[in-house]
Amino acid sequence: MKRILSVVLAVVLLGCLIFTLFIRESSEEQTVCRSLVVVIRDSVDRAFLREREVVALLKNARLHPVGRPVHRINTDSIEKVVAKNELVATVNAYKTASGKVKIEITQKAPILRVFDGKGSYYIDDLGRTMSANYRYATRLPVAGGKIQKSFATTELFKFALFLQKHTFWNHQVEQIYVHSEKEVELIPRIGNCRILLGSFENFEEKMERLQLFYEQAIPKTGWEKYETINLKYKNQIVCTKK
């Protein structure tokens, strides 16, 4: 008897589930998308992408959801179109129970601006390039000189990432200039001396030596005494006085 009741109960529950899914599917087929909500989560820090530009992307791809039956809206296609924009880091699109389509976007995070003689672009925190966007106001280190894009997205990117992660150097290094043979010169924000880094090989050790020099020697001699600070040579710093 108990087994029969269990079977009957299971059949009833299965029937209820099928009925609920049927009602939900029928309801969704009758629901029309009422609005599109675009959330750009880091827009306060990075004013790259704007809502109207996302809307334009969808309209050009004939994927704008408003006025369409909800069940015919493909959020995967919406994500793929938005993700093609080079300013977008991540995108998540989904439908809500109230008939809205919501798109949540995070933007790429630039850590360096590069001027290569032909134009300029940004390098983001994953080593990807992105077009220069003049709405971005946050101060970033600037790199110039003879820079190939392959060099910018590898060695130069690693150095820029190092600067970003170290508060002291993030505030101190203003410009990076790449000479021929990939010889690197740093221009500090404070003082007017030139810092000759040489190549990027072992740059962490070179910058550690430079920080010790800043902490121990500069307070005694002052910023204006030196014309160049040379870090090319292993385990030493060679300075040229003005």
Side-chain angles (χ1 to χ4, degrees):
M1 187 65 178
K2 289 183 179 179
R3 181 176 296 179
I4 294 174
L5 288 174
S6 299
V7 172
V8 171
L9 181 60
V11 171
V12 171
L13 290 174
L14 180 60
C16 290
L17 178 60
I18 293 173
F19 179 74
T20 301
L21 292 175
F22 175 77
I23 293 299
R24 182 176 178 180
E25 185 176 346
S26 299
S27 176
E28 188 177 78
E29 288 181 358
Q30 295 175 5
T31 302
V32 173
C33 178
R34 297 188 297 107
S35 67
L36 170 67
V37 180
V38 178
V39 179
I40 303 175
R41 295 200 171 279
D42 45 10
S43 58
V44 174
D45 298 322
R46 300 167 210 150
F48 281 123
L49 195 63
R50 296 179 181 176
E51 179 180 349
R52 66 171 178 263
E53 293 167 332
V54 177
V55 171
L57 284 173
L58 297 180
K59 286 183 176 179
N60 290 338
R62 297 181 179 179
L63 290 173
H64 196 279
V66 175
R68 295 187 179 188
V70 170
H71 75 285
R72 291 186 179 177
I73 296 171
N74 189 326
T75 53
D76 288 340
S77 297
I78 289 175
E79 288 178 353
K80 288 177 182 178
V81 167
V82 176
K84 287 180 181 179
N85 187 291
E86 67 169 357
L87 302 177
V88 174
T90 66
V91 55
N92 180 33
Y94 56 92
K95 297 176 258 188
T96 70
S98 60
K100 297 179 182 179
V101 170
K102 191 169 184 178
I103 305 175
E104 297 178 350
I105 296 169
T106 59
Q107 301 171 95
K108 289 183 179 179
I111 60 173
L112 178 72
R113 186 161 185 177
V114 178
F115 291 84
D116 61 3
K118 300 176 183 178
S120 71
Y121 54 89
Y122 291 113
I123 301 292
D124 76 0
D125 57 354
L126 294 178
R128 302 168 298 192
T129 62
M130 50 191 293
S131 298
N133 188 305
Y134 295 98
R135 288 176 303 194
Y136 189 70
T138 300
R139 179 182 292 179
L140 294 174
V142 173
K146 300 180 179 180
I147 302 174
Q148 297 293 327
K149 192 161 287 188
S150 58
F151 178 75
T153 56
T154 52
E155 295 183 64
L156 191 54
F157 158 67
K158 291 177 183 177
F159 186 71
L161 200 61
F162 168 85
L163 297 181
Q164 185 204 37
K165 293 181 177 180
H166 292 73
T167 303
F168 179 83
W169 292 121
N170 193 38
H171 288 90
Q172 180 61 18
V173 176
E174 185 172 37
Q175 294 183 39
I176 305 163
Y177 191 84
V178 181
H179 295 276
S180 59
E181 305 301 323
K182 299 179 181 179
E183 291 282 300
V184 179
E185 178 181 332
L186 306 179
I187 308 298
R189 296 188 193 278
I190 301 174
N192 57 4
C193 64
R194 298 164 56 220
I195 300 170
L196 307 180
L197 188 68
S199 71
F200 279 130
E201 184 178 2
N202 299 321
F203 70 79
E204 295 96 339
E205 186 270 333
K206 294 176 182 178
M207 298 303 286
E208 184 177 347
R209 274 190 279 134
L210 182 60
Q211 185 168 352
L212 287 174
F213 180 78
Y214 272 23
E215 293 172 349
Q216 297 175 9
I218 294 297
K220 298 177 182 178
T221 60
W223 292 99
E224 305 303 322
K225 184 175 182 178
Y226 302 106
E227 182 175 357
T228 62
I229 300 174
N230 194 332
L231 304 170
K232 294 181 183 181
Y233 308 106
K234 189 174 182 180
N235 297 325
Q236 59 181 310
I237 295 177
V238 178
C239 298
T240 303
K241 295 181 179 179
K242 291 182 179 179

